[in-house]
Protein backbone atom coordinates (compact mmCIF):
# COMPACT_ATOMS: atom_id res chain seq x y z
CA UNK A 1 0.00 0.00 0.00
CA UNK A 2 1.51 3.36 -0.95
CA UNK A 3 1.34 6.55 1.10
CA UNK A 4 -1.66 7.99 -0.73
CA UNK A 5 -3.71 4.81 -0.31
CA UNK A 6 -2.88 4.73 3.39
CA UNK A 7 -3.85 8.36 3.91
CA UNK A 8 -7.04 8.09 1.89
CA UNK A 9 -8.11 5.04 3.83
CA UNK A 10 -7.54 6.85 7.13
CA UNK A 11 -9.89 9.76 6.47
CA UNK A 12 -13.51 9.68 7.66
CA UNK A 13 -14.63 10.75 4.21
CA UNK A 14 -11.96 9.01 2.19
CA UNK A 15 -9.43 11.84 2.30
CA UNK A 16 -6.14 12.28 4.09
CA UNK A 17 -6.62 13.29 7.71
CA UNK A 18 -3.42 15.31 7.88
CA UNK A 19 -3.89 19.05 7.54
CA UNK A 20 -1.46 20.30 4.95
CA UNK A 21 -0.31 16.74 4.38
CA UNK A 22 -1.09 16.82 0.67
CA UNK A 23 -0.35 19.20 -2.13
CA UNK A 24 -3.51 20.73 -3.56
CA UNK A 25 -3.82 21.85 -7.14
CA UNK A 26 -6.12 24.84 -7.56
CA UNK A 27 -7.57 25.29 -11.04
CA UNK A 28 -10.21 27.73 -12.19
CA UNK A 29 -11.10 29.58 -15.37
CA UNK A 30 -9.86 33.17 -15.59
CA UNK A 31 -12.17 35.23 -13.39
CA UNK A 32 -12.84 38.70 -14.76
CA UNK A 33 -15.71 39.39 -12.35
CA UNK A 34 -13.79 39.02 -9.09
CA UNK A 35 -13.24 42.76 -8.62
CA UNK A 36 -16.95 43.49 -8.96
CA UNK A 37 -18.23 40.94 -6.47
CA UNK A 38 -19.81 42.24 -3.25
CA UNK A 39 -17.37 42.02 -0.37
CA UNK A 40 -18.65 40.75 2.97
CA UNK A 41 -19.17 43.15 5.82
CA UNK A 42 -18.45 40.34 8.26
CA UNK A 43 -17.43 36.69 8.14
CA UNK A 44 -17.29 33.95 10.75
CA UNK A 45 -15.06 31.11 9.59
CA UNK A 46 -13.43 27.97 10.92
CA UNK A 47 -9.98 26.96 9.78
CA UNK A 48 -7.50 24.22 10.55
CA UNK A 49 -8.06 21.46 13.04
CA UNK A 50 -7.67 17.74 12.40
CA UNK A 51 -9.56 17.58 9.12
CA UNK A 52 -9.13 15.87 5.75
CA UNK A 53 -6.99 17.48 3.07
CA UNK A 54 -9.14 19.77 0.98
CA UNK A 55 -11.71 20.07 3.75
CA UNK A 56 -10.78 23.66 4.57
CA UNK A 57 -11.54 24.68 0.98
CA UNK A 58 -14.80 22.74 1.12
CA UNK A 59 -15.79 24.24 4.48
CA UNK A 60 -17.71 27.49 3.91
CA UNK A 61 -18.02 30.44 6.26
CA UNK A 62 -20.43 29.64 9.06
CA UNK A 63 -21.91 33.07 8.49
CA UNK A 64 -21.25 35.83 5.96
CA UNK A 65 -23.01 39.20 6.14
CA UNK A 66 -23.19 41.68 3.22
CA UNK A 67 -23.89 45.40 2.98
CA UNK A 68 -27.40 44.91 1.59
CA UNK A 69 -28.44 42.95 4.68
CA UNK A 70 -28.02 39.48 3.17
CA UNK A 71 -26.84 36.80 5.60
CA UNK A 72 -25.64 33.44 4.26
CA UNK A 73 -25.10 30.52 6.63
CA UNK A 74 -22.96 27.52 5.69
CA UNK A 75 -23.35 28.46 1.98
CA UNK A 76 -26.74 26.73 2.10
CA UNK A 77 -29.32 29.20 3.47
CA UNK A 78 -29.78 32.95 3.03
CA UNK A 79 -31.80 35.57 4.92
CA UNK A 80 -32.35 39.29 4.40
CA UNK A 81 -32.23 41.36 7.61
CA UNK A 82 -32.91 45.04 8.11
CA UNK A 83 -30.18 47.66 8.34
CA UNK A 84 -30.68 48.04 12.09
CA UNK A 85 -29.85 44.36 12.64
CA UNK A 86 -26.87 44.64 10.32
CA UNK A 87 -25.60 47.82 11.99
CA UNK A 88 -25.89 46.24 15.43
CA UNK A 89 -23.86 43.26 14.25
CA UNK A 90 -21.16 45.39 12.66
CA UNK A 91 -20.85 47.70 15.66
CA UNK A 92 -20.64 44.76 18.07
CA UNK A 93 -17.97 43.04 15.96
CA UNK A 94 -15.90 46.20 15.57
CA UNK A 95 -16.07 46.92 19.30
CA UNK A 96 -14.71 43.46 20.10
CA UNK A 97 -12.24 42.93 17.29
CA UNK A 98 -10.52 46.31 17.35
CA UNK A 99 -9.22 45.55 20.86
CA UNK A 100 -6.35 43.02 20.56
CA UNK A 101 -6.80 42.05 24.20
CA UNK A 102 -10.07 40.32 23.34
CA UNK A 103 -8.29 37.67 21.28
CA UNK A 104 -5.56 36.87 23.83
CA UNK A 105 -5.78 33.57 25.64
CA UNK A 106 -5.90 33.59 29.40
CA UNK A 107 -2.51 32.54 30.81
CA UNK A 108 -2.75 28.95 31.94
CA UNK A 109 -5.89 28.20 29.95
CA UNK A 110 -5.88 24.55 28.83
CA UNK A 111 -4.99 23.73 25.24
CA UNK A 112 -7.12 21.31 23.25
CA UNK A 113 -5.38 19.49 20.43
CA UNK A 114 -6.67 19.26 16.86
CA UNK A 115 -9.57 21.70 17.22
CA UNK A 116 -10.29 24.30 14.54
CA UNK A 117 -9.60 28.00 14.95
CA UNK A 118 -12.43 30.51 14.83
CA UNK A 119 -11.78 33.56 12.65
CA UNK A 120 -13.90 36.72 12.82
CA UNK A 121 -13.42 39.47 10.23
CA UNK A 122 -15.32 42.77 10.02
CA UNK A 123 -15.09 45.85 7.77
CA UNK A 124 -16.34 49.32 8.61
CA UNK A 125 -15.41 53.00 8.32
CA UNK A 126 -12.64 52.16 5.90
CA UNK A 127 -10.97 49.76 8.33
CA UNK A 128 -10.77 46.00 8.66
CA UNK A 129 -10.36 44.01 11.85
CA UNK A 130 -9.62 40.30 12.12
CA UNK A 131 -9.12 38.01 15.11
CA UNK A 132 -8.30 34.32 15.30
CA UNK A 133 -9.08 32.11 18.29
CA UNK A 134 -7.85 28.57 18.73
CA UNK A 135 -10.74 26.41 19.93
CA UNK A 136 -12.99 29.32 20.89
CA UNK A 137 -16.14 27.22 21.22
CA UNK A 138 -14.36 24.23 22.76
CA UNK A 139 -12.69 26.32 25.50
CA UNK A 140 -15.76 28.27 26.57
CA UNK A 141 -16.24 26.43 29.85
CA UNK A 142 -12.60 27.17 30.68
CA UNK A 143 -13.01 30.89 29.88
CA UNK A 144 -9.86 30.73 27.78
CA UNK A 145 -10.67 34.06 26.11
CA UNK A 146 -12.29 37.28 27.38
CA UNK A 147 -16.06 37.25 27.75
CA UNK A 148 -16.41 39.89 25.02
CA UNK A 149 -15.36 37.34 22.39
CA UNK A 150 -17.85 34.76 23.64
CA UNK A 151 -20.54 37.44 23.55
CA UNK A 152 -19.74 38.09 19.88
CA UNK A 153 -19.81 34.36 19.22
CA UNK A 154 -23.29 34.21 20.78
CA UNK A 155 -24.49 37.12 18.61
CA UNK A 156 -23.25 35.42 15.45
CA UNK A 157 -24.62 32.04 16.52
CA UNK A 158 -28.07 33.54 17.04
CA UNK A 159 -28.07 35.05 13.54
CA UNK A 160 -26.68 31.88 11.97
CA UNK A 161 -29.31 29.73 13.66
CA UNK A 162 -32.02 32.16 12.54
CA UNK A 163 -30.74 32.03 8.96
CA UNK A 164 -30.63 28.24 8.92
CA UNK A 165 -34.08 28.00 10.49
CA UNK A 166 -36.02 30.67 8.56
CA UNK A 167 -33.91 31.54 5.53
CA UNK A 168 -34.43 30.46 1.93
CA UNK A 169 -32.29 28.01 -0.02
CA UNK A 170 -29.01 29.41 -1.35
CA UNK A 171 -28.39 27.83 -4.74
CA UNK A 172 -26.18 29.96 -7.06
CA UNK A 173 -24.66 28.87 -10.37
CA UNK A 174 -21.26 28.85 -8.69
CA UNK A 175 -19.64 25.90 -6.95
CA UNK A 176 -16.32 24.76 -5.53
CA UNK A 177 -15.35 21.23 -6.51
CA UNK A 178 -12.82 19.17 -4.53
CA UNK A 179 -11.53 16.09 -6.34
CA UNK A 180 -9.29 13.41 -4.80
CA UNK A 181 -7.52 11.09 -7.20
CA UNK A 182 -7.85 7.41 -6.36
CA UNK A 183 -5.20 4.79 -7.02
CA UNK A 184 -6.27 2.36 -9.76
CA UNK A 185 -6.61 -0.54 -7.32
CA UNK A 186 -8.09 1.47 -4.47
CA UNK A 187 -11.71 1.06 -3.45
CA UNK A 188 -13.55 4.31 -2.64
CA UNK A 189 -14.14 4.97 1.03
CA UNK A 190 -17.67 5.09 2.40
CA UNK A 191 -18.19 7.58 5.22
CA UNK A 192 -19.48 5.91 8.40
CA UNK A 193 -22.11 5.11 9.52
CA UNK A 194 -23.43 4.53 6.01
CA UNK A 195 -22.91 1.12 4.47
CA UNK A 196 -23.84 2.18 0.95
CA UNK A 197 -21.04 2.03 -1.62
CA UNK A 198 -19.97 5.29 -3.22
CA UNK A 199 -21.73 5.68 -6.59
CA UNK A 200 -19.51 5.77 -9.68
CA UNK A 201 -20.48 7.92 -12.67
CA UNK A 202 -18.78 9.45 -15.68
CA UNK A 203 -17.12 12.82 -15.36
CA UNK A 204 -19.61 15.47 -16.66
CA UNK A 205 -18.73 16.54 -20.19
CA UNK A 206 -18.91 20.30 -19.52
CA UNK A 207 -16.89 20.23 -16.29
CA UNK A 208 -13.11 20.83 -16.63
CA UNK A 209 -10.90 17.92 -15.68
CA UNK A 210 -8.63 18.33 -12.63
CA UNK A 211 -5.04 19.26 -13.43
CA UNK A 212 -2.61 17.62 -11.03
CA UNK A 213 1.14 18.06 -10.84
CA UNK A 214 3.68 15.63 -9.55
CA UNK A 215 2.80 14.25 -6.10
CA UNK A 216 -0.55 16.07 -6.14
CA UNK A 217 -3.75 14.11 -5.65
CA UNK A 218 -6.21 16.74 -4.42
CA UNK A 219 -7.58 19.34 -6.84
CA UNK A 220 -9.84 22.35 -6.30
CA UNK A 221 -11.88 23.89 -9.10
CA UNK A 222 -14.16 26.93 -8.77
CA UNK A 223 -16.85 26.70 -11.44
CA UNK A 224 -19.44 29.23 -12.56
CA UNK A 225 -22.26 29.46 -15.04
CA UNK A 226 -22.50 26.63 -17.55
CA UNK A 227 -19.75 24.58 -15.91
CA UNK A 228 -21.34 24.87 -12.48
CA UNK A 229 -24.75 23.89 -13.83
CA UNK A 230 -23.23 20.84 -15.53
CA UNK A 231 -21.74 19.68 -12.24
CA UNK A 232 -25.01 20.29 -10.39
CA UNK A 233 -26.94 18.26 -12.93
CA UNK A 234 -24.62 15.32 -12.26
CA UNK A 235 -24.36 15.90 -8.49
CA UNK A 236 -27.34 18.04 -7.47
CA UNK A 237 -27.11 17.77 -3.70
CA UNK A 238 -23.84 18.76 -1.98
CA UNK A 239 -23.32 16.53 1.04
CA UNK A 240 -20.10 16.61 3.13
CA UNK A 241 -20.78 13.03 4.25
CA UNK A 242 -21.13 11.60 0.74
CA UNK A 243 -18.22 11.54 -1.71
CA UNK A 244 -19.26 9.97 -5.02
CA UNK A 245 -16.72 8.79 -7.57
CA UNK A 246 -16.40 10.31 -11.04
CA UNK A 247 -14.42 8.59 -13.79
CA UNK A 248 -12.67 10.62 -16.48
CA UNK A 249 -12.56 9.52 -20.14
CA UNK A 250 -9.09 8.00 -19.62
CA UNK A 251 -10.36 5.88 -16.71
CA UNK A 252 -8.93 7.97 -13.87
CA UNK A 253 -11.21 7.95 -10.85
CA UNK A 254 -11.76 10.88 -8.50
CA UNK A 255 -13.71 10.89 -5.27
CA UNK A 256 -15.41 14.29 -5.23
CA UNK A 257 -17.47 16.72 -3.23
CA UNK A 258 -18.60 20.31 -3.74
CA UNK A 259 -20.23 23.31 -2.13
CA UNK A 260 -21.79 26.54 -3.32
CA UNK A 261 -19.52 29.57 -3.58
CA UNK A 262 -20.34 32.67 -1.59
CA UNK A 263 -20.94 35.96 -3.49
CA UNK A 264 -17.44 37.29 -2.78
CA UNK A 265 -15.55 34.08 -3.62
Amino acid sequence: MNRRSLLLGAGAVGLTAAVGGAAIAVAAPEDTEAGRRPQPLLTWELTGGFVPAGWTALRPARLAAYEDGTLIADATRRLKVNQGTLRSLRNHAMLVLRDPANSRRRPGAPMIADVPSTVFTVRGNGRRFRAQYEGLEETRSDRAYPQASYSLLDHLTQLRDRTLRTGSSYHPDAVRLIAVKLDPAQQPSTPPPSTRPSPVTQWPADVPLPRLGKDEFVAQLDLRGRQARALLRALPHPDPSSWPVLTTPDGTRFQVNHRFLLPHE
Side-chain angles (χ1 to χ4, degrees):
M1 177 181 292
N2 62 26
R3 178 178 180 273
R4 183 164 74 241
S5 299
L6 178 62
L7 289 173
L8 284 166
V13 293
L15 305 180
T16 171
V19 176
I24 300 178
V26 179
E30 183 178 357
D31 189 356
T32 59
E33 299 294 323
R36 295 195 289 270
R37 294 202 188 102
Q39 293 303 300
L41 179 81
L42 179 145
T43 56
W44 168 21
E45 301 170 286
L46 295 181
T47 184
F50 191 70
V51 294
W55 186 261
T56 296
L58 188 65
R59 182 167 53 191
R62 293 173 71 78
L63 188 72
Y66 296 86
E67 297 278 2
D68 67 351
T70 298
L71 305 181
I72 302 177
D74 299 348
T76 60
R77 307 288 290 181
R78 68 189 304 165
L79 178 70
K80 196 72 169 286
V81 297
N82 61 44
Q83 287 298 309
T85 299
L86 191 68
R87 185 165 53 251
S88 174
L89 175 62
R90 179 187 61 192
N91 291 344
H92 188 180
M94 291 190 68
L95 179 66
V96 173
L97 301 184
R98 70 187 179 191
D99 184 353
N102 285 326
S103 59
R104 295 193 189 112
R105 289 181 63 89
R106 174 176 59 81
M111 302 289 292
I112 303 177
D114 301 328
V115 297
S117 294
T118 294
V119 181
F120 297 140
T121 306
V122 65
R123 293 187 303 109
N125 301 325
R127 304 184 67 184
R128 177 178 177 271
F129 298 97
R130 180 181 184 274
Q132 181 166 331
Y133 308 80
E134 184 177 353
L136 180 64
E137 297 179 73
E138 294 82 0
T139 59
R140 180 167 198 150
S141 62
D142 298 309
R143 299 192 295 275
Y145 293 95
Q147 179 57 34
S149 292
Y150 293 111
S151 174
L152 179 58
L153 175 64
D154 288 342
H155 193 163
L156 290 166
T157 298
Q158 182 268 326
L159 287 172
R160 175 175 176 266
D161 290 348
R162 177 181 165 190
T163 302
L164 291 172
R165 184 178 65 254
T166 67
S168 59
S169 177
Y170 177 68
H171 199 279
D173 289 345
V175 296
R176 172 164 294 169
L177 172 67
I178 303 297
V180 182
K181 184 179 179 181
L182 298 175
D183 286 336
Q186 184 179 352
Q187 294 301 312
S189 301
T190 301
S194 172
T195 59
R196 295 175 300 171
S198 298
V200 180
T201 58
Q202 293 298 311
W203 192 273
D206 290 333
V207 176
L209 295 173
R211 298 193 299 268
L212 296 173
K214 183 180 180 182
D215 297 327
E216 293 174 342
F217 60 93
V218 182
Q220 171 187 319
L221 298 91
D222 286 352
L223 309 173
R224 293 178 171 82
R226 177 176 56 84
Q227 295 175 342
R229 291 190 294 273
L231 178 66
L232 290 170
R233 283 193 298 270
L235 304 172
H237 304 295
D239 182 355
S241 67
S242 176
W243 290 71
V245 176
L246 298 181
T247 303
T248 65
D250 68 0
T252 303
R253 297 179 307 151
F254 288 89
Q255 199 156 11
V256 303
N257 214 320
H258 63 296
R259 70 163 173 88
F260 293 113
L261 289 170
L262 293 168
H264 64 279
E265 292 181 310

